Coordinates of all heavy atoms in Angstrom, one line a residue:
G1 N 14.9 0.7 16.8 CA 14.8 1.5 15.6 C 13.6 1.4 14.8 O 13.4 2.1 13.8
T2 N 12.7 0.5 15.2 CA 11.4 0.4 14.5 C 10.5 1.5 14.9 O 10.6 2.1 16.0 CB 10.7 -1.0 14.8 OG1 10.5 -1.1 16.3 CG2 11.6 -2.1 14.3
I3 N 9.5 1.8 14.1 CA 8.5 2.9 14.4 C 7.5 2.3 15.3 O 6.9 1.3 15.1 CB 7.9 3.4 13.1 CG1 8.9 4.2 12.2 CG2 6.7 4.3 13.4 CD1 8.3 4.6 10.9
N4 N 7.3 3.1 16.4 CA 6.2 2.7 17.4 C 4.9 3.3 16.9 O 4.7 4.5 17.0 CB 6.6 3.3 18.8 CG 5.6 2.8 19.9 OD1 4.4 2.8 19.6 ND2 6.2 2.4 21.0
R5 N 4.1 2.4 16.3 CA 2.9 2.9 15.7 C 1.9 3.6 16.7 O 1.1 4.4 16.3 CB 2.2 1.8 14.9 CG 3.0 1.3 13.7 CD 2.5 0.0 13.1 NE 1.2 0.2 12.5 CZ 1.0 0.5 11.2 NH1 2.1 0.7 10.4 NH2 -0.2 0.6 10.7
K6 N 1.9 3.1 18.0 CA 1.1 3.7 19.0 C 1.5 5.2 19.2 O 0.7 6.1 19.3 CB 1.1 2.9 20.3 CG 0.3 1.6 20.2 CD 0.2 1.0 21.6 CE -0.6 -0.3 21.5 NZ -0.7 -1.0 22.8
V7 N 2.8 5.4 19.3 CA 3.3 6.8 19.6 C 3.0 7.6 18.4 O 2.6 8.8 18.5 CB 4.8 6.7 19.9 CG1 5.4 8.2 20.0 CG2 5.1 6.0 21.1
L8 N 3.2 7.1 17.2 CA 2.9 7.8 15.9 C 1.4 8.1 15.9 O 1.1 9.3 15.5 CB 3.4 7.0 14.7 CG 3.1 7.6 13.3 CD1 3.8 9.0 13.2 CD2 3.5 6.7 12.2
G9 N 0.6 7.2 16.2 CA -0.8 7.4 16.2 C -1.3 8.5 17.1 O -2.2 9.3 16.8
A10 N -0.7 8.5 18.3 CA -1.0 9.6 19.2 C -0.7 10.9 18.7 O -1.3 11.9 19.1 CB -0.3 9.3 20.6
K11 N 0.3 11.0 17.9 CA 0.7 12.3 17.3 C -0.2 12.8 16.2 O -0.4 14.0 16.0 CB 2.2 12.2 16.7 CG 3.3 12.3 17.7 CD 4.6 12.2 16.9 CE 5.8 12.6 17.8 NZ 5.9 14.0 18.0
V12 N -0.8 11.8 15.4 CA -1.6 12.2 14.3 C -3.1 12.2 14.4 O -3.8 13.1 13.9 CB -1.2 11.4 13.0 CG1 0.3 11.5 12.7 CG2 -1.6 9.9 13.2
F13 N -3.6 11.3 15.3 CA -5.0 11.2 15.4 C -5.5 12.4 16.3 O -5.0 12.6 17.4 CB -5.5 9.9 15.9 CG -5.2 8.8 14.9 CD1 -4.3 7.7 15.2 CD2 -5.9 8.8 13.7 CE1 -4.1 6.8 14.3 CE2 -5.6 7.8 12.8 CZ -4.7 6.8 13.0
G14 N -6.5 13.1 15.7 CA -7.0 14.3 16.4 C -6.3 15.5 16.0 O -6.6 16.6 16.4
N15 N -5.2 15.4 15.1 CA -4.5 16.5 14.6 C -4.5 16.4 13.1 O -3.8 15.7 12.5 CB -3.1 16.5 15.1 CG -2.3 17.8 14.7 OD1 -2.4 18.2 13.6 ND2 -1.6 18.4 15.7
Q16 N -5.4 17.1 12.4 CA -5.6 17.0 11.0 C -4.4 17.3 10.2 O -4.1 16.7 9.2 CB -6.8 17.9 10.5 CG -8.2 17.4 11.0 CD -8.5 16.0 10.4 OE1 -8.3 15.7 9.3 NE2 -9.0 15.2 11.3
E17 N -3.6 18.3 10.7 CA -2.4 18.7 9.9 C -1.4 17.6 10.0 O -0.8 17.3 8.9 CB -1.8 20.0 10.6 CG -0.7 20.6 9.8 CD -0.1 21.9 10.4 OE1 -0.9 22.5 11.2 OE2 1.0 22.2 10.2
H18 N -1.2 17.0 11.1 CA -0.2 15.9 11.3 C -0.7 14.7 10.5 O 0.1 14.0 9.8 CB 0.0 15.5 12.7 CG 0.8 16.5 13.5 ND1 1.1 16.4 14.8 CD2 1.5 17.7 13.1 CE1 1.8 17.5 15.2 NE2 2.1 18.2 14.2
L19 N -2.0 14.4 10.5 CA -2.5 13.3 9.8 C -2.3 13.4 8.3 O -2.0 12.5 7.6 CB -4.0 13.1 10.1 CG -4.7 11.9 9.5 CD1 -4.1 10.6 9.9 CD2 -6.2 11.9 9.8
K20 N -2.5 14.6 7.8 CA -2.3 14.9 6.4 C -0.9 14.7 6.0 O -0.6 14.2 4.9 CB -2.8 16.3 6.0 CG -2.8 16.5 4.5 CD -3.3 17.9 4.1 CE -3.4 18.1 2.6 NZ -2.1 17.8 1.9
S21 N 0.0 15.2 6.9 CA 1.4 15.0 6.6 C 1.8 13.6 6.5 O 2.6 13.2 5.6 CB 2.3 15.7 7.8 OG 2.0 17.0 7.8
L22 N 1.2 12.7 7.4 CA 1.5 11.3 7.3 C 0.9 10.6 6.1 O 1.7 9.9 5.4 CB 0.9 10.6 8.6 CG 1.2 9.1 8.7 CD1 2.7 8.8 8.8 CD2 0.5 8.5 9.9
T23 N -0.3 10.9 5.8 CA -0.9 10.3 4.6 C -0.3 10.8 3.3 O -0.2 10.0 2.3 CB -2.5 10.6 4.5 OG1 -2.7 12.0 4.6 CG2 -3.2 9.9 5.7
D24 N 0.2 12.0 3.3 CA 0.9 12.5 2.1 C 2.2 11.8 1.8 O 2.6 11.7 0.7 CB 1.2 14.0 2.2 CG 0.0 14.9 2.0 OD1 -1.1 14.4 1.6 OD2 0.1 16.1 2.3
I25 N 2.8 11.2 2.9 CA 4.0 10.4 2.8 C 3.6 9.0 2.4 O 4.2 8.4 1.5 CB 4.8 10.4 4.1 CG1 5.3 11.8 4.4 CG2 5.9 9.4 4.0 CD1 5.9 12.0 5.8
V26 N 2.7 8.4 3.2 CA 2.5 7.0 3.1 C 1.6 6.5 1.9 O 1.9 5.5 1.3 CB 1.9 6.5 4.4 CG1 1.5 5.0 4.4 CG2 2.8 6.7 5.6
W27 N 0.5 7.3 1.6 CA -0.4 6.8 0.6 C 0.2 6.7 -0.8 O 0.0 5.7 -1.5 CB -1.6 7.7 0.6 CG -2.6 7.4 1.7 CD1 -2.5 6.4 2.7 CD2 -3.8 8.1 2.0 NE1 -3.5 6.5 3.5 CE2 -4.4 7.5 3.2 CE3 -4.5 9.2 1.5 CZ2 -5.6 7.9 3.8 CZ3 -5.7 9.6 2.0 CH2 -6.2 9.0 3.2
P28 N 1.0 7.7 -1.2 CA 1.7 7.5 -2.6 C 2.6 6.3 -2.6 O 2.7 5.6 -3.6 CB 2.4 8.8 -2.8 CG 1.8 9.8 -1.9 CD 1.3 9.0 -0.7
V29 N 3.3 6.1 -1.4 CA 4.2 4.9 -1.4 C 3.4 3.6 -1.5 O 3.8 2.7 -2.2 CB 5.0 4.9 0.0 CG1 5.7 3.6 0.2 CG2 6.0 6.1 0.0
M30 N 2.3 3.6 -0.7 CA 1.4 2.4 -0.8 C 0.8 2.2 -2.2 O 0.7 1.0 -2.6 CB 0.3 2.5 0.3 CG 0.8 2.3 1.7 SD -0.5 2.4 2.9 CE -1.4 1.0 2.5
A31 N 0.4 3.3 -2.8 CA -0.1 3.2 -4.2 C 0.9 2.5 -5.1 O 0.6 1.7 -6.0 CB -0.5 4.5 -4.7
Q32 N 2.2 2.9 -5.0 CA 3.2 2.3 -5.8 C 3.4 0.8 -5.5 O 3.6 0.0 -6.4 CB 4.6 3.1 -5.6 CG 5.7 2.7 -6.5 CD 5.3 2.9 -8.0 OE1 4.7 3.9 -8.4 NE2 5.6 1.9 -8.8
M33 N 3.4 0.5 -4.2 CA 3.5 -0.9 -3.7 C 2.3 -1.7 -4.3 O 2.5 -2.9 -4.7 CB 3.5 -1.0 -2.2 CG 4.7 -0.3 -1.6 SD 4.6 -0.2 0.2 CE 5.1 -1.9 0.7
V34 N 1.1 -1.1 -4.3 CA 0.0 -1.9 -4.9 C 0.2 -2.1 -6.4 O -0.1 -3.2 -6.9 CB -1.3 -1.0 -4.7 CG1 -2.4 -1.6 -5.6 CG2 -1.7 -1.0 -3.3
K35 N 0.7 -1.1 -7.1 CA 1.0 -1.3 -8.6 C 2.0 -2.4 -8.8 O 1.9 -3.2 -9.7 CB 1.5 0.0 -9.2 CG 0.4 1.0 -9.3 CD 1.0 2.4 -9.8 CE -0.1 3.4 -9.8 NZ 0.4 4.7 -10.3

């Protein structure tokens, strides 16, 4: 049930639309964690 980062990476790297979808999810979450 853990996320396979290699499989996820293969989906997003080289695909700007998928990469933006991922960063739109993760970056705000990380910003909150930083705070």
Side-chain angles (χ1 to χ4, degrees):
T2 58
I3 291 175
N4 187 317
R5 291 169 70 91
K6 285 187 176 179
V7 174
L8 178 60
K11 277 180 170 283
V12 300
F13 292 116
N15 186 316
Q16 289 300 315
E17 186 179 340
H18 286 176
L19 182 60
K20 186 177 185 308
S21 297
L22 181 63
T23 55
D24 283 350
I25 294 170
V26 176
W27 284 356
V29 168
M30 288 180 64
Q32 189 57 42
M33 294 171 79
V34 166
K35 289 175 183 177

